[in-house]
Amino acid sequence: MKLLALAAVLAASTATTTLAFSPSSPLQQPLTGQTRSLSLQSSLAALPSLPNPYKNLPWVTERERIRHERSITHDNAALFRELGLPEDATYEEVKAKTDHLIDLAEGDVKKKIRVEVARDKIYAMRLKERVTGVKKPEGDVLRMSKFEDGTLQELSADVSDIIK
């Protein structure tokens, strides 16, 4: 008797366990590969990130520096190509070309904005290069910096004549 009761309880528990892990409706499908990978990605994102122990090795930092310089050079070249200028164009050439392109695009506001954004990015890039010492000033910028330092005598004499 006890044996039959135990068998009945065991059969009932197996049936409920099987039902608990089987789909309740035919519309409910098991996880697909894409859903599994998303759930794996979300669970990995929830884990605390560990610092990369190889990040500060000399050859890794050198490779990252070269990669960063290459990406900057590539981005800068794209800006100059968009304006139709060589990469070593002076400030005056950039200004003249952008003014010309803006005049050509009188009715097209988007084109004007694109030209102005490219010009502003070039100016910001050149300023950053001069501040960090990567590139030396040239043209009018060089003359003005020499004038401000007092090393350009002929320009200061002309200015003092104008002031008198």
Side-chain angles (χ1 to χ4, degrees), residues 3-28:
L3 190 57
L4 277 169
L6 186 59
V9 170
L10 185 59
S13 67
T14 306
T16 58
T17 305
T18 306
L19 290 176
F21 291 105
S22 65
S24 58
S25 69
L27 296 176
Q28 190 178 17

Side-chain angles (χ1 to χ4, degrees), residues 63-76:
R63 193 173 347 147
E64 286 297 320
R65 184 188 61 76
I66 291 170
R67 184 179 296 139
H68 179 68
E69 287 176 0
R70 190 171 46 236
S71 70
I72 289 174
T73 303
H74 178 72
D75 295 342
N76 295 344

Side-chain angles (χ1 to χ4, degrees), residues 39-104:
S39 64
L40 179 63
Q41 288 173 355
S42 62
S43 64
L44 287 177
L47 293 174
S49 62
L50 297 173
N52 185 355
Y54 304 113
K55 183 178 177 183
N56 295 326
L57 293 174
W59 54 86
V60 174
T61 55
E62 179 68 17
R63 193 173 347 147
E64 286 297 320
R65 184 188 61 76
I66 291 170
R67 184 179 296 139
H68 179 68
E69 287 176 0
R70 190 171 46 236
S71 70
I72 289 174
T73 303
H74 178 72
D75 295 342
N76 295 344
L79 292 171
F80 283 102
R81 269 196 313 271
E82 186 175 336
L83 295 179
L85 291 168
E87 288 185 47
D88 60 343
T90 63
Y91 174 84
E92 294 82 17
E93 292 171 341
V94 172
K95 181 168 176 37
K97 185 67 171 188
T98 54
D99 290 343
H100 175 70
L101 290 173
I102 288 172
D103 290 342
L104 287 178

Side-chain angles (χ1 to χ4, degrees), residues 114-129:
R114 202 168 55 236
V115 168
E116 289 173 352
V117 166
R119 178 194 61 199
D120 292 342
K121 285 183 179 180
I122 289 172
Y123 288 167
M125 173 200 56
R126 291 285 171 87
L127 177 63
K128 185 177 178 183
E129 287 175 347

